[in-house]
Amino acid sequence: MELSITDLRDQPEFFETVTDRVWRAWWEPAGHTLADFTTGMRACLMASRLPFALVAHADGRYLGSTLCVAADLAERPQYTPWVAAVWVEPHARLREVGRTLVGHTRQALFRLGHRRIYLCSLPERRDFYTRQGWLPIEQDVGADKQIVYASDAGDG
């Protein structure tokens, strides 16, 4: 499998798939409609800096994606920008897709000049992110008791 990571703006044919996966995983359970979420996701195709999305694919098949957004946790508006909505298709998990996708996303944000970036996850994903050099800076944040991580330019 020859894995590629590209900006969604350069691969708009993946827009509906990215939107569907992110909506089903995080926004539908929170009560948001697909139509409303799709409208918001269109900013990833138009923005020059944030928000944007990166897509992992191989041989024309979607494998995963992540979003880069200004804010991801309402409880922490002071932190920006965020790596958010990391998704890997079930058949592509445990094949370095997620790790590669997060690494590319981190570097894309640093290339934009951000010196510190953030990410949050449920506690069960802690090892996945700390093995990649993300530093937990807060725990038990919000209703889902998420961990907030930071990564500084030059680290990992």
Side-chain angles (χ1 to χ4, degrees):
M1 170 178 75
E2 183 67 33
L3 178 65
S4 295
I5 308 291
T6 55
D7 192 303
L8 183 61
R9 293 171 286 205
D10 298 326
Q11 303 280 166
E13 65 271 21
F14 291 116
F15 177 79
E16 288 183 19
T17 304
V18 172
T19 300
D20 175 73
R21 298 312 190 270
V22 175
W23 175 70
R24 286 183 190 279
W26 293 282
W27 293 83
E28 182 185 30
H32 299 275
T33 68
L34 177 58
D36 287 343
F37 183 70
T38 299
T39 299
M41 275 292 294
R42 291 200 191 289
C44 289
L45 296 176
M46 296 181 252
S48 61
R49 294 180 66 79
L50 289 175
F52 65 92
L54 295 183
V55 180
H57 53 96
D59 302 320
R61 290 184 60 198
Y62 170 85
L63 299 176
S65 54
T66 190
L67 305 181
C68 299
V69 297
D72 193 30
L73 276 178
E75 296 87 356
R76 297 298 180 268
Q78 71 273 26
Y79 297 153
T80 191
W82 293 76
V83 174
V86 177
W87 177 262
V88 175
E89 293 285 84
H91 72 272
R93 293 178 185 165
L94 302 175
R95 296 172 63 193
E96 299 293 318
V97 174
R99 174 184 281 281
T100 303
L101 189 56
V102 170
H104 276 75
T105 306
R106 175 192 283 181
Q107 292 309 311
L109 287 167
F110 291 150
R111 280 192 303 274
L112 288 175
H114 300 286
R115 305 307 301 158
R116 175 171 263 206
I117 60 176
Y118 301 90
L119 182 146
C120 62
S121 78
L122 294 174
E124 56 265 25
R125 301 301 297 153
R126 180 186 182 107
D127 287 347
F128 176 76
Y129 292 111
T130 58
R131 281 193 310 264
Q132 296 177 62
W134 288 87
L135 177 67
I137 59 171
E138 292 190 56
Q139 297 185 72
D140 299 323
V141 178
D144 292 329
K145 305 292 186 198
Q146 295 200 60
I147 299 170
V148 176
Y149 307 83
S151 180
D152 294 322
D155 292 348

